Amino acid sequence: AASDVYKRQRLQIRALDEMGLPHDAQAAAVRERYGSLVKQYHPDSNGGDRSMEHRLHVVIRAFKALKASGLA
């Protein structure tokens, strides 16, 4: 119970950090940042740079975690 809440909070904080957002970010800011990061790291925008593609996957995973927690 309490440990589950703690785990969810840790995951949420980690996801916000991965997206470069403050820990008190609101849903609208999360969605806006997600959109800009997807454009920035998309392979079509980076000539297929594998490091950018990896970063894109990190951002997508972070956004999914925030969405699952109700923050996006």
Side-chain angles (χ1 to χ4, degrees):
S3 65
D4 290 337
V5 171
Y6 177 72
K7 285 179 187 177
R8 280 195 302 270
Q9 288 174 337
R10 280 187 30 217
L11 286 172
Q12 187 176 12
I13 288 170
R14 185 178 311 140
L16 289 166
D17 287 344
E18 288 173 348
M19 293 181 69
L21 289 164
H23 296 171
D24 62 348
Q26 300 298 314
V30 171
R31 289 189 301 270
E32 184 178 327
R33 181 74 174 150
Y34 174 72
S36 67
L37 290 173
V38 166
K39 289 176 188 172
Q40 179 181 346
Y41 294 125
H42 195 279
D44 291 345
S45 301
N46 293 292
D49 183 343
R50 301 293 284 171
S51 66
M52 294 295 165
E53 185 176 349
H54 171 73
R55 183 72 183 119
L56 174 64
H57 290 291
V58 169
V59 167
I60 291 170
R61 190 171 54 242
F63 182 73
K64 286 182 179 180
L66 291 170
K67 194 170 181 178
S69 74
L71 190 58

